[in-house]
Every structure is written in structure tokens, then in C-alpha cells.
């Protein structure tokens, strides 16, 4: 449903409460008073006990307006709050549909198993009637700036820039209590309850584009729509920080969540990986959540990692350095040039170190001179200035004097004022701006910087999107598909070890040689050929996952007599004739391994497949933790996974080929990406010795699943299946592919090349450039919800340049897709526009998008002719624009089916009406802003 109707949820004109109210309805009385305080006479009661009763607590309230049933209300209701039991709620949803209610908050929770049936009916009927549901077990929301409060909290939080979204109302209560003590305000507070409809993804999509939201805080117990959540987070986290607490770190707490919400929660370590991948900062406690929110809602994002420090107290410098070290932040050393320049201002015992100590007698001018030197050196992205305030220091003068130099040097300034705090609070509020912060304790300042650095690092990780197909390696997907389909067709979910290793070999994963043997004589001949020592195993499918526990493995067999004894033992212990029918497997013994690793993939109940890496063998008893990551994985992410294990330290003590391990992880990831049927896969152990790697045992468990690749993944890979090599009309080659973050510079160059007319129709202004923030949103897109394809050619100087882009943008506010196309002026009429439109329509069809739309300026005759051949029709006229739409069916559409385009073009081409041009103007903001905002236009087809 996108985020349809949520604007009415947060800014309703008319509100109603429905229930059976009597003198015991204490909570409802508080809610009613809160609603009346902000919406006055537009708050209604629907009392199913009847209006005007003596036991109704609202009868005596002046101005109360009560009706016996919903459809009797005098105006259309934007928001209805229900305290009815869930058994009565399906019928209530039907009434909502009839009365035009937009949103329904359900305050009651489940009380029995019958409520599962009621839940399905409620959700289905609400979806049919386009009624949004918040609940179950939700108190609703608070918007402090409006004084709007649907909760039973009698004291509202202060207004601020932080949005708080939580499944638990009790957790919200504890956060608000702490916020009141710390004088922290909120823009929005939302209780989601059990996520039957409106969920975290919807709220992040909506609040992420609200102007007065600077930071979003989450309390998460579980997620119903993981892909939507991660997609929304990746989209919003690029422009606003998101901080989360995740409940359910152990099996008991996850069981409580399941009982509490009715839905199971995934493994905590998988959540950790997913939140990290989506650019979310995870914290552990409520105070930490609030501290992070305050820091990130008031601090600018650092431009880099380099932090400098200036102080008039050596002791406080030590304290600050220690605080930062505990937070994982290191200060870089000063260059020799800067040290020399600072000699005239620093004390002899400071030693030219960072922090720079300028002594306790430093006056305004010394501070100003030293800060200017530090800024002009170009060695810092952020400068922290610690001041023990004294009678001869004027901090306001220092800040205002430094401000221009800091802006020119692109350095964020963080000031710490110590001493006489109360006298300077009002002054500090006046001085804070986008590049200047003021704190009154070292702990506050260091924590704030650490949180902003975590966000800075998260932004870099959000950009990393590995491809769906890794074309640097070769695989035998056809044979792998035969193995998997064959086993499932035979009703088997577990591979034998030979089958598992053949599957791994299809993806060039290293396995030790494995030979099937059905008799002892076969085993003896193979052993002689391999050379002793060898390993003998049972290959029964039902024992694959528990061979060692069932005595199905004999290691280190060094003689033929030992082999005979092992054969006899396995035959007797593992089922006699059944073993001989299933056969045994013989392998060479891998004796000189340095490390044993446990590498593989499992399927999480919420997030789907994930990769894990841990220590195997004896080390597993010492280091029990696994590192996990969500596929797809490239070399960069593979190294990140490795770095979260003890392996980097092991490699220093006893080196092995780390790049080869990265490759193995990437290949394993590709197998998991290609085959949703793989439920579990283990290389246990994967033995490592220098450059040698071998999976001496392999286990594969399958599942029947109707979802095709890559839809089983919760993170959408870079869609390199949408890469095309084509030729233009003059025969030149053009490469069409999805846009990447590294296309930013080529995109800047393309925009700079636009003519005045193209630039005007693209941006509705004659500005020659776009902001860095706009470029980030153009090139760092979320492939799950939108697509932008660029046309690349090699120019006469051998450089690859961008000559056109076609974009398909998803707008969650109305759950629709808008396209936008632009071609460089000097590459128009080459056929590239037609190629980009054909490919975009093909991609939309592949993604099962039902329709796409765009806006054509009313004087754009050439554009009308261009879209006509692709089957677009005129849906409506909006002032000087035409709204065009293409319904995407399984077959190609034809212009003859759309005479309205011909008619519209003919009407506009009459003399004296509109001059013709060749520019399409469409809303092409890569991530949709608030409803109705048209921030970017692209045009000019071939």
C-alpha cells in the first residue's frame, strides 16, 4: 500500500473514538481530552452503548459530540481510534470503508487463538477499502509541534527534531521519561504495535522526508516486511541518520517477542548484519539511544575522519583523548610543517602533539591564531576546541571570528566550554549552526563526535551494492540446477556428501577429492591409488548432518588392514546392507592444515539466506562466535566478514592466502544468490594451509520454494542482468547499464554540457549545476524500489562518458512509478533515447510493474511523438503539463491503441498556441520527497 493515507494519520482534520464507553473508561477519557486539546470540535465519539447515558464519562464534557454509530457522523473521518475487541473489528472495518475513514488505530491486542482468524479478516478488508491500520496494541502517535496526541500520556513531550518509532508503548514511555529529564524534544512519536499494516518501512518512508525530522530512533522487536524495511532505511539513511535498539538478543527474549507480537523474530546476529548493511547505527540501551539521537540531530556530518584538538588545559586534553580512544576514535599526528608553525603559540612541554595545548593563560588572540593555523593546514575535517572559560576569554568573539575561515576550509567546529555553564547557555544557542557546535562537557562532545563518525562510516557502507552476477568468476549453473532439481524431484531435501561436493565444484569451490566405493575391494584399489592415509565415511543422506555423532567417519587410516577394520566397523554401526546400497566415500587425509574454518549459509526466519564464518576444529571451543553477512557479497564485503573473526590475527602468526578466502566467500555467496532452494549449506571444516584450501566435508539441505532469484534475498543486488551492449544509428557502440555511485563525476559532466533549454526543462531553472546532496540521490539509488539506466560511450579521447539516463522512480506516497529521460544535446537524434526507453519498459515488465507515468510539457510536440510509439496515453492535463501513462502488459503496446496522444498533439500544434520543443519534463527525484514536491525534471529524448 505504500504510505497512502499517512498524511491524514499525522494531520487529521476530523477524529473519532469508537468503543463501549462507561465510567470505567479512564484511559479513553485521557485520550479524549488530549484529542480535544488539538482538534476541538472536530473530535467525535461513537459510543456503542448509546449516547447520553448517565454512566457515560463524556456526557458532562462541554461540547462533546456523540453518535450511536459511525456512519452517522457529520463529516468524513481521517482517523478513527478503536477500543473494541478484535472479534468486532472486521465489521468495524466494513463501516470504515462505508464512511470513508482513512486510518484506524486499534488499541486492543490479541487475547486468544481465535484472534488470528480475526486478524486475517481485518487486514484483508482494510486493504480492499484502502483503510490504513495502526496496531494491534498501539496507543497511536504524538506530534508535539501540533499538540496532537492520541495516547493516554497526560504530559506531552517537548517539540524537537527527533522522530521516535517503537513497537512497544512501554518502551516509548520509558524513553519519554528520560527525555523529559534531559530536556530532549521530538518531532513525532509513533507506537506501531504488532505491525498488522503500517510498519517500520512505511514510517521511515514517510518521516524520512519530513522537513522537521533530523534523526529517526527505532525500537524493534521483529519485522514483517524485511525487504521494505531495508529498502526504506537505505533510501533515508543517506540523508538522515537512523539509530535502533533491537530487542531479542537471546532465544528466551525471542520467544517472548513471539508470544507478545504473534510473530517470530530472526537471529540477533543476522539483524546486526542487516542493520549494518542498511546504514543503521545500532545501540544497546535506552540512554544510549537518546544520546545518539540528540548528537545526530544537532551535529553536522563530518567531511572526513581527521579530528584535530586545541585546548588550554593539558589535563583535559588527556581526558578527551582517553574518552575518544574508548569510543574507537584516534587523533592523527600533526605534520612537521604545522608543528613548526605552531611553535610560537604552544608551551614547550606540549611536544607538537595532537591535541595542541596552548597553555592556561591563552587569550582570545592566541586561540584565534592557533585555530586559523590548524584550519589552513588542511589536515583536519573537524576541529574540537576545549576552553576552560576565564575572565579574559570571550568564546562568542572567538567563534564569530573563526566562522568564515572554518567555512572556507570546510572544517566542522566543535567547541567545549567548561566553567560557568549557566551564564553561557543562551549564548551557545545563538552561535550553533550547520558547521558549529557547542558543548558543556568533554563527554558530551566526544560522544557526539563518535556518533557522527559512525554515521559517516555508515554512509560509505550504504553505497556498497554487490552485483547479482559476479562475472569475474566462472560457474557451471546448469549442472548445479540439474543436481538441485533432481534431488527435489526425487523427494530428497538432503544431499549426499558426493552430491554436495559436486554442487560446490560447480561453483569452483575447493573440495578434497572424494570417491564413491561400494565394496571393500573398490575402497582398497582407490586407497592404493591415492596413497595412505585416507578417510572412510558413510554416504547415507540421512546421516550427512550427523556423521561423527553416529560413528560414520573413520579418520587417519594408514594401512589396508586399517581400512578393512574401518569398513567392517562402518558397515555394522551404520546400518549393514543399507550402507552398502548407499555406498561409502573415500578421501585423502588432509594432515597439514593450519586452520579449520566453519563456512556456510543458513536461512533466517525473517531475513532469508545469510553467510556465516567461524573457527572450526579445536579453535571452535575457544572462539564460539560466528560472523554473519547477508548476500550478495563482493570482495570488499567478504573482507569485512573476515575482519569480524580472529582470522586477521591468525594470518599474522601463520600466514595464509586471504585473497583466496575472499574469493571462496564470493563464490559461495553467488551459489546462494542463484538458488533460493538452498536452505542450508556447510563447508565444515574448510581446512586452510597457506595457499591450499579444501572443504573436507560438505552438507547441503534444500527446500521447495516458489520464489525465483533474486527475490528470495532481503537485499537487492546490483542488477547487472540489466546490462546491454547496443549500437546507435551510426553504428557506434553504446553500453546501457544501471547507474552506480561511481557515475557521479560523469553525471556532473553530462549536466554541465546541457544547453540552456535542456537545463531549464530538466531543473525548471537556469542554474548550471546541482548540489552534492542531489547527486548522491541521483547516483546512489536503492535498486529494490527504483532503477536508473545510463548510456555510456567512449569519446574521441578514449574516455567513457554518460550521454543519457532514463530513470524509474518509486513514490511510496502514492505507490506509483514515474519515468524520466534526458539525453545530452550533442547526442540527440542518434537513437539512444529510443534504446533507453525500450530497456526501461523491459525492466518495468520484468519487475511486474503494472504502469508507469510521466509529465510532458504542453509545448513538447516532439516528445509526444516520441512516447506515442511506445504506447503512452494522455491520462490528464495539469496546467501547462500533460500527465501521460503507459499500462504495461505482457505484449508490446502500439501507438494505434492510443489515439488520445495524436489528438492532444494536434490540438497543441495549432498556430499561435504553443511553440514546439523536444523536452520531456518529469519528476525524477530518486527518492521521493513529501507529497506534491517536484524537485527534479529530466528531458530531451532522441
Amino acid at each position: 500500500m505504500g504510505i497512502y493515507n499517512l498524511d491524514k494519520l499525522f494531520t487529521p482534520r476530523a477524529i473519532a473514538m469508537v468503543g463501549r464507553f462507561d465510567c470505567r473508561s479512564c484511559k479513553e477519557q485521557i485520550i479524549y481530552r488530549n484529542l480535544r486539546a488539538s482538534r476541538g470540535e472536530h473530535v467525535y465519539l461513537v459510543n456503542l452503548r448509546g449516547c447520553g447515558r448517565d454512566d457515560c464519562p463524556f456526557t458532562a464534557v462541554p461540547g462533546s459530540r456523540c453518535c450511536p454509530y459511525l456512519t452517522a457522523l457529520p463529516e468524513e473521518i481521517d482517523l478513527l481510534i478503536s477500543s473494541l475487541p478484535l472479534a468486532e473489528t472486521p465489521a468495524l472495518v466494513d463501516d470504515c470503508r462505508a464512511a470513508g475513514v482513512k486510518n484506524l488505530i486499534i488499541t486492543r491486542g490479541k487475547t486468544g487463538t481465535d484472534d488470528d482468524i480475526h486478524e486475517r479478516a481485518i487486514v484483508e478488508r482494510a486493504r480492499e477499502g484502502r483503510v490504513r491500520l495502526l496496531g494491534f496494541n498501539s496507543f497511536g502517535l504524538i506530534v508535539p509541534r501540533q499538540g496532537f496526541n492520541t495516547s493516554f500520556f497526560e504530559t506531552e513531550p517537548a517539540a524537537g527534531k527527533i522522530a521516535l518509532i517503537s513497537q512497544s508503548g512501554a518502551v516509548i514511555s520509558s524513553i519519554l521519561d528520560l527525555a523529559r529529564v534531559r530536556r530532549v524534544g521530538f518531532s513525532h512519536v509513533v507506537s506501531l504495535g504488532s505491525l498488522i499494516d503500517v510498519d517500520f518501512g512505511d514510517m521511515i518512508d514517510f518521516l524520512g522526508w519530513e522537513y522537521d525530522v533530523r534523526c529517526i530512533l527505532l525500537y524493534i522487536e521483529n519485522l514483517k516486511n524485511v525487504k521494505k524495511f531495508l529498502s526504506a532505511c537505505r533510501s533515508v539513511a543517506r540523508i538522515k541518520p537512523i539509530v535502533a535498539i533491537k530487542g531479542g538478543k537471546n532465544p528466551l527474549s525471542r520467544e517472548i517477542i513471539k508470544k507478545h507480537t504473534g510473530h517470530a523474530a530472526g537471529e540477533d546476529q543476522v539483524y546486526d548484519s542487516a542493520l549494518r548493511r542498511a546504514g543503521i547505527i545500532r545501540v544497546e540501551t535506552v540512554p544510549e539511544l537518546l544520546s545518539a539521537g540528540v548528537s545526530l540531530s544537532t551535529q553536522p556530518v563530518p567531511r572526513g575522519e581527521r579530528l584535530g584538538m586545541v585546548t588550554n588545559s593539558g589535563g583535559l586534553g588527556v581526558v578527551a583523548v582517553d574518552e575518544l580512544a574508548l569510543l574507537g576514535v584516534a587523533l592523527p599526528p600533526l605534520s612537521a610543517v604545522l608543528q613548526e608553525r605552531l611553535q610560537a603559540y604552544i608551551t614547550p612541554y606540549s611536544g607538537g602533539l595532537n591535541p595542541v595545548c596552548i597553555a592556561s593563560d591563552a587569550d582570545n588572540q592566541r586561540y584565534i591564531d592557533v585555530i586559523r593555523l590548524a584550519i589552513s593546514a588542511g589536515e583536519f575535517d573537524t576541529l574540537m576546541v576545549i576552553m576552560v572559560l576565564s575572565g579574559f576569554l570571550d568564546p562568542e568573539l572567538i567563534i564569530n571570528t573563526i566562522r568564515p575561515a572554518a567555512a572556507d576550509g570546510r572544517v566542522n567546529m566543535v567547541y567545549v566550554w567548561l566553567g560557568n555553564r549557566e551564564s553561557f547557555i543562551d549564548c551557545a544557542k545563538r552561535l550553533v549552526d550547520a558547521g558549529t557546535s557547542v558543548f558543556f562537557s568533554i563527554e558530551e562532545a566526544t560522544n557526539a563526535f563518535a556518533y557522527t563518525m559512525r554515521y559517516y562510516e555508515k554512509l560509505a557502507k550504504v553505497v556498497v551494492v554487490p552485483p547479482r552476477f559476479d562475472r569475474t568468476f566462472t560457474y557451471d549453473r546448469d549442472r548445479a540446477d540439474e543436481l538441485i532439481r533432481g534431488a527435489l524431484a526425487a523427494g530428497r531435501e538432503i544431499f549426499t556428501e558426493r552430491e554436495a561436493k559436486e554442487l560446490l565444484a560447480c561453483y569452483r569451490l575447493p573440495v578434497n577429492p572424494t570417491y564413491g566405493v561400494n565394496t571393500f575391494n573398490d575402497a582398497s584399489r582407490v586407497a592404493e591409488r591415492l596413497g595412505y592415509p585416507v578417510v572412510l565415511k558413510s554416504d547415507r543422506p540421512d546421516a550427512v548432518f550427523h556423521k561423527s555423532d553416529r560413528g560414520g567417519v573413520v579418520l587417519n587410516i594408514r594401512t589396508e588392514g586399517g581400512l578393512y577394520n574401518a569398513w567392517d566397523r562402518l558397515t555394522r554401526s551404520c546400518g549393514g546392507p543399507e550402507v552398502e546400497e548407499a555406498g561409502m566415500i573415500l578421501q585423502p587425509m588432509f594432515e597439514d592444515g593450519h586452520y579449520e574454518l566453519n563456512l556456510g549459509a543458513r536461512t533466517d526466519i525473517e531475513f532469508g539466506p545469510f553467510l556465516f564464518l567461524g573457527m572450526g576444529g579445536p579453535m571452535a571451543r575457544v572462539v564460539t562466535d560466528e560472523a554473519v553477512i547477508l548476500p550478495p557479497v563482493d570482495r570488499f564485503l567478504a573482507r569485512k566478514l573476515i575482519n569480524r573473526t580472529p582470522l586477521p590475527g591468525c594470518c599474522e602468526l601463520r600466514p595464509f592466502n586471504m585473497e583466496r578466502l575472499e574469493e571462496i566467500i564470493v563464490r559461495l555467496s553467488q551459489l546462494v544468490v542463484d538458488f533460493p532452494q538452498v536452505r542450508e549449506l556447510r563447508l565444515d571444516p574448510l581446512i586452510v594451509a597457506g595457499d591450499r584450501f579444501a572443504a573436507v566435508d560438505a552438507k547441503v539441505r534444500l527446500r521447495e520454494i516458489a520464489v525465483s532469484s533474486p527475490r528470495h534475498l532481503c537485499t537487492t543486488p546490483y542488477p547487472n542482468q540489466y546490462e546491454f551492449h547496443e549500437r546507435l544509428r551510426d553504428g557506434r557502440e553504446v553500453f546501457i547499464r544501471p547507474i552506480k555511485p561511481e557515475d557521479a563525476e560523469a553525471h556532473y559532466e553530462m549536466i554541465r554540457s546541457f544547453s540552456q533549454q535542456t537545463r531549464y526543462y530538466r531543473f525548471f531553472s537556469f542554474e548550471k549545476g546541482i548540489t552534492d546532496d542531489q547527486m548522491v540521490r541521483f547516483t546512489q539509488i536503492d535498486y529494490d524500489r527504483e532503477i536508473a539506466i545510463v548510456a555510456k560511450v567512449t569519446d574521441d579521447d578514449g574516455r567513457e562518458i554518460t550521454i543519457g539516463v532514463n530513470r524509474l522512480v518509486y513514490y511510496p506516497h502514492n505507490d506509483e512509478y514515474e519515468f524520466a529521460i534526458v539525453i545530452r544535446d550533442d547526442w540527440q537524434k542518434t537513437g539512444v533515447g529510443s534504446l533507453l526507453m525500450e530497456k526501461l519498459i523491459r525492466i518495468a515488465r520484468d519487475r511486474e510493474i503494472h504502469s508507469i507515468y510521466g509529465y510532458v510539457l504542453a509545448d513538447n510536440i516532439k516528445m509526444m511523438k516520441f512516447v506515442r510509439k511506445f504506447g503512452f496515453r494522455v491520462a490528464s492535463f495539469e496546467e501547462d503539463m500533460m500527465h501521460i501513462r503507459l499500462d504495461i502488459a505482457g505484449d508490446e503496446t502500439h501507438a494505434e491503441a492510443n489515439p488520445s496522444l495524436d489528438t492532444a498533439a494536434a490540438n497543441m500544434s495549432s498556430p499561435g498556441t504553443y511553440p514546439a520543443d523536444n523536452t520531456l519534463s518529469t519528476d525524477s527525484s530518486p527518492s521521493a520527497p513529501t507529497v506534491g514536491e517536484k524537485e527534479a525534471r529530466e528531458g530531451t529524448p532522441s
Side-chain angles (χ1 to χ4, degrees):
M1 279 183 103
I3 51 178
Y4 180 79
N5 277 350
L6 294 194
D7 55 333
K8 300 294 185 182
L9 176 67
F10 285 99
T11 56
R13 182 178 185 276
I15 307 170
M17 294 174 58
V18 60
R20 290 186 171 80
F21 308 122
D22 57 25
C23 58
R24 295 168 296 178
S25 305
C26 300
K27 185 168 68 175
E28 284 78 8
Q29 293 180 56
I30 298 171
I31 296 172
Y32 185 64
R33 285 199 301 270
N34 289 340
L35 294 175
R36 285 289 300 272
S38 64
R39 293 302 185 268
E41 64 180 12
H42 295 288
V43 179
Y44 301 92
L45 295 166
V46 179
N47 192 348
L48 301 186
R49 287 180 177 270
C51 297
R53 294 168 55 95
D54 293 337
D55 63 349
C56 178
F58 306 106
T59 301
V61 178
S64 62
R65 308 175 72 181
C66 182
C67 293
Y69 45 88
L70 188 60
T71 52
L73 293 173
E75 60 180 315
E76 197 168 84
I77 300 300
D78 293 325
L79 174 60
L80 179 67
I81 303 171
S82 169
S83 58
L84 294 175
L86 298 188
E88 299 180 43
T89 305
L92 175 64
V93 173
D94 290 337
D95 291 341
C96 289
R97 295 168 60 183
V101 173
K102 307 294 190 302
N103 299 277
L104 173 62
I105 296 176
I106 302 173
T107 63
R108 297 285 285 269
K110 291 183 179 181
T111 57
T113 54
D114 289 346
D115 283 336
D116 292 336
I117 300 173
H118 302 321
E119 178 181 359
R120 287 192 291 273
I122 292 167
V123 172
E124 289 172 5
R125 296 182 189 187
R127 184 174 291 116
E128 291 170 1
R130 295 180 71 79
V131 178
R132 303 311 304 267
L133 305 174
L134 191 62
F136 306 136
N137 241 350
S138 167
F139 71 62
L141 60 145
I142 306 172
V143 186
R145 201 175 303 280
Q146 298 179 24
F148 177 47
N149 183 0
T150 74
S151 78
F152 48 82
F153 299 150
E154 295 189 85
T155 304
E156 290 183 12
K161 298 286 189 179
I162 301 171
L164 172 61
I165 309 169
S166 169
Q167 279 177 273
S168 168
V171 170
I172 287 178
S173 178
S174 67
I175 293 173
L176 295 186
D177 285 344
L178 183 61
R180 202 169 291 116
V181 174
R182 295 190 179 183
R183 299 180 180 180
V184 176
F186 296 89
S187 61
H188 305 77
V189 178
V190 184
S191 167
L192 290 177
S194 56
L195 314 176
I196 58 168
D197 174 25
V198 177
D199 59 14
F200 284 104
D202 295 324
M203 280 298 162
I204 291 167
D205 263 331
F206 186 85
L207 295 177
W209 301 100
E210 289 293 294
Y211 175 76
D212 58 349
V213 175
R214 291 285 301 275
C215 178
I216 299 174
L217 307 184
L218 309 177
Y219 170 74
I220 303 169
E221 291 179 349
N222 57 8
L223 300 167
K224 282 192 174 179
N225 192 328
V226 167
K227 184 167 283 192
K228 179 170 68 172
F229 169 77
L230 294 178
S231 176
C233 288
R234 287 177 64 87
S235 177
V236 171
R238 292 181 174 94
I239 57 171
K240 293 179 183 177
I242 303 174
V243 188
I245 290 181
K246 169 62 181 74
K249 296 181 183 178
N250 60 70
L252 176 58
S253 57
R254 287 197 291 273
E255 184 64 24
I256 295 170
I257 288 173
K258 185 175 181 180
K259 297 288 186 184
H260 175 62
T261 66
H263 296 275
E267 295 184 36
D268 185 69
Q269 58 185 353
V270 182
Y271 260 98
D272 198 54
S273 177
L275 297 180
R276 190 184 305 116
R277 191 80 164 261
I280 298 173
I281 298 170
R282 184 175 182 180
V283 297
E284 303 300 329
T285 65
V286 166
E288 194 179 359
L289 181 73
L290 202 57
S291 296
V294 172
S295 299
L296 292 167
S297 64
T298 58
Q299 301 303 298
V301 180
R303 295 184 173 93
E305 301 177 351
R306 303 171 301 169
L307 173 64
M309 189 180 296
V310 177
T311 175
N312 62 354
S313 166
L316 292 177
V318 171
V319 171
V321 169
D322 286 345
E323 290 274 0
L324 289 166
L326 290 173
L327 297 167
V329 178
L331 273 66
L334 306 181
S335 69
V337 173
L338 181 56
Q339 289 184 46
E340 184 178 349
R341 290 178 179 175
L342 289 172
Q343 288 303 312
Y345 303 97
I346 63 177
T347 57
Y349 57 80
S350 66
L353 300 175
N354 183 14
V356 177
C357 182
I358 58 176
S360 58
D361 62 348
D363 57 10
N364 295 329
Q365 193 58 49
R366 189 185 303 174
Y367 259 112
I368 291 168
D369 291 342
V370 170
I371 294 170
R372 279 176 170 165
L373 278 175
I375 291 172
S376 64
E379 298 179 17
F380 306 114
D381 304 297
T382 302
L383 200 59
M384 185 178 292
V385 180
I386 300 174
M387 299 180 182
V388 179
L389 298 178
S390 57
F392 50 82
L393 280 180
D394 184 346
E396 184 171 2
L397 171 66
I398 293 172
I399 288 179
N400 286 329
T401 304
I402 290 298
R403 203 186 300 271
D408 292 342
R410 295 174 62 83
V411 175
N412 291 336
M413 299 300 301
V414 177
Y415 294 91
V416 186
W417 294 352
L418 301 173
N420 203 12
R421 169 184 178 138
E422 296 301 323
S423 302
F424 288 97
I425 288 179
D426 292 337
C427 174
K429 290 179 180 178
R430 292 197 309 271
L431 296 172
V432 170
D433 63 15
T436 305
S437 307
V438 179
F439 296 92
F440 292 95
S441 78
I442 288 175
E443 183 181 13
E444 287 178 338
T446 54
N447 279 329
F449 179 76
Y451 284 125
T452 57
M453 278 307 305
R454 286 181 67 181
Y455 180 52
Y456 170 81
E457 292 164 359
K458 294 289 183 184
L459 289 178
K461 293 176 182 176
V462 169
V463 175
V464 178
V465 185
R468 176 179 174 186
F469 302 120
D470 191 321
R471 290 174 175 156
T472 59
F473 302 132
T474 57
Y475 313 99
D476 187 352
R477 290 188 182 86
D478 292 340
R479 177 55 185 158
D481 186 58
E482 288 177 10
L483 288 168
I484 290 171
R485 290 182 182 275
L488 290 174
R492 291 191 297 112
E493 293 186 349
I494 298 177
F495 271 3
T496 65
E497 184 174 333
R498 275 181 291 177
E499 290 172 323
K501 287 185 173 178
E502 186 178 357
L503 178 67
L504 297 179
C506 290
Y507 278 72
R508 310 300 187 262
L509 288 161
V511 295
N512 65 334
T514 300
Y515 301 90
V517 289
N518 293 317
T519 66
F520 171 73
N521 289 335
D522 291 341
S524 178
R525 283 193 294 270
V526 173
E528 287 295 331
R529 188 167 71 250
L530 292 176
Y532 290 96
V534 294
V535 177
L536 186 68
K537 301 179 183 179
S538 165
D539 202 24
R540 286 177 55 181
D542 61 342
V544 164
F545 277 80
H546 309 284
K547 280 197 198 81
S548 298
D549 295 342
R550 298 186 181 187
V553 181
V554 181
L555 302 172
N556 204 22
I557 303 169
R558 294 188 171 274
T559 64
E560 186 175 16
L563 180 61
Y564 180 84
N565 292 334
W567 186 274
D568 182 62
R569 172 181 155 190
L570 291 188
T571 303
R572 285 186 288 104
S573 64
C574 293
E578 293 181 9
V579 171
E580 295 198 7
E581 183 180 345
M584 303 264 196
I585 51 177
L586 197 72
Q587 305 168 355
M589 180 74 183
F590 199 125
E591 291 188 286
D592 56 348
H594 298 163
Y595 304 105
E596 292 185 22
L597 308 183
N598 181 20
L599 173 64
R602 293 196 298 271
T603 302
D604 182 74
I605 193 169
E606 288 191 280
F607 290 91
F610 66 94
L611 307 186
F612 61 86
L613 175 64
M615 305 304 294
M619 278 291 289
R621 301 186 183 95
V622 181
V623 184
T624 57
D625 291 342
E626 295 174 339
V628 308
I629 196 167
L630 299 170
V633 172
D634 58 8
R635 281 191 178 272
F636 174 81
L637 293 175
R639 178 57 68 97
K640 290 284 187 183
L641 177 66
I642 295 168
N643 288 344
R644 292 197 290 272
T645 71
L647 288 171
C650 294
C651 192
E652 291 181 7
L653 296 174
R654 200 162 190 179
F656 63 89
N657 190 335
M658 191 74 80
E659 291 186 357
R660 175 64 172 140
L661 180 57
E662 291 173 7
E663 179 187 330
I664 290 169
I665 293 170
V666 172
R667 288 181 177 277
L668 180 65
S669 168
Q670 190 63 57
L671 195 161
V672 172
V673 168
D674 288 346
F675 294 102
Q677 301 95 323
V678 175
R679 179 180 176 184
E680 183 177 2
L681 188 156
R682 289 179 178 270
L683 285 67
D684 183 18
L686 174 66
I687 297 182
V688 182
D691 290 330
R692 297 176 60 207
F693 290 76
V696 299
D697 199 0
K699 305 173 179 70
V700 174
R701 191 191 303 271
L702 304 176
R703 59 176 176 168
E704 291 279 6
I705 184 171
V707 176
S708 61
S709 174
R711 291 185 172 89
H712 65 304
L713 304 176
C714 66
T715 56
T716 299
Y718 173 79
N720 55 357
Q721 70 270 29
Y722 299 143
E723 293 181 345
F724 310 96
H725 291 273
E726 301 288 348
R727 288 191 180 273
L728 301 176
R729 289 172 185 160
D730 60 4
R732 282 179 290 186
E733 292 184 354
V734 60
F735 181 35
I736 296 174
R737 61 162 172 80
I739 201 165
K740 298 179 180 180
E742 53 263 37
D743 288 320
E745 187 54 44
H747 219 66
Y748 275 124
E749 183 180 340
M750 180 181 70
I751 292 170
R752 286 194 293 265
S753 76
F754 287 166
S755 66
Q756 189 177 47
Q757 182 186 59
T758 299
R759 189 178 302 118
Y760 178 76
Y761 285 121
R762 167 62 179 83
F763 299 110
F764 281 118
S765 75
F766 292 110
E767 293 292 332
K768 292 190 175 182
I770 62 173
T771 65
D772 291 345
D773 181 63
Q774 285 176 308
M775 183 56 69
V776 167
R777 290 163 64 184
F778 281 140
T779 57
Q780 297 179 21
I781 68 172
D782 179 0
Y783 300 110
D784 189 51
R785 61 172 55 195
E786 57 189 293
I787 193 73
I789 51 175
V790 291
K792 313 284 282 189
V793 298
T794 303
D795 67 7
D796 295 337
D797 297 326
R799 297 182 307 121
E800 187 181 66
I801 62 172
T802 299
I803 62 171
V805 60
N806 201 0
R807 192 179 300 275
L808 195 60
V809 183
Y810 174 64
Y811 285 90
H813 294 80
N814 52 15
D815 197 24
E816 289 192 312
Y817 291 85
E818 184 174 3
F819 82 96
I821 185 170
V822 63
I823 307 298
R824 276 180 59 143
D825 293 75
D826 51 344
W827 286 86
Q828 293 174 22
K829 300 182 180 179
T830 63
V832 67
S834 295
L835 287 172
L836 285 172
M837 185 61 75
E838 289 169 6
K839 304 308 182 190
L840 194 76
I841 293 173
R842 181 190 299 186
I843 292 169
R845 185 174 291 114
D846 179 65
R847 293 188 167 200
E848 299 179 355
I849 295 171
H850 300 298
S851 68
I852 62 177
Y853 73 93
Y855 288 96
V856 180
L857 290 174
D859 57 356
N860 197 336
I861 306 302
K862 291 184 178 180
M863 188 62 206
M864 295 299 296
K865 292 180 179 179
F866 175 76
V867 297
R868 173 182 175 273
K869 66 180 180 181
F870 295 103
F872 282 87
R873 60 181 172 82
V874 175
S876 64
F877 292 89
E878 298 180 11
E879 296 180 357
D880 61 343
M881 291 187 186
M882 287 189 298
H883 176 195
I884 62 171
R885 182 173 294 274
L886 174 67
D887 297 320
I888 300 175
D891 298 324
E892 296 290 339
T893 51
H894 299 283
E896 288 74 17
N898 295 281
S900 58
L901 285 174
D902 295 320
T903 304
N907 290 339
M908 291 188 300
S909 60
S910 52
T913 307
Y914 303 110
D917 77 346
N918 63 344
T919 305
L920 168 65
S921 178
T922 70
D923 186 337
S924 61
S925 165
S927 297
T930 53
V931 177
E933 183 181 347
K934 302 293 184 184
E935 107 174 331
R937 304 280 172 179
E938 292 191 328
T940 317
S942 62

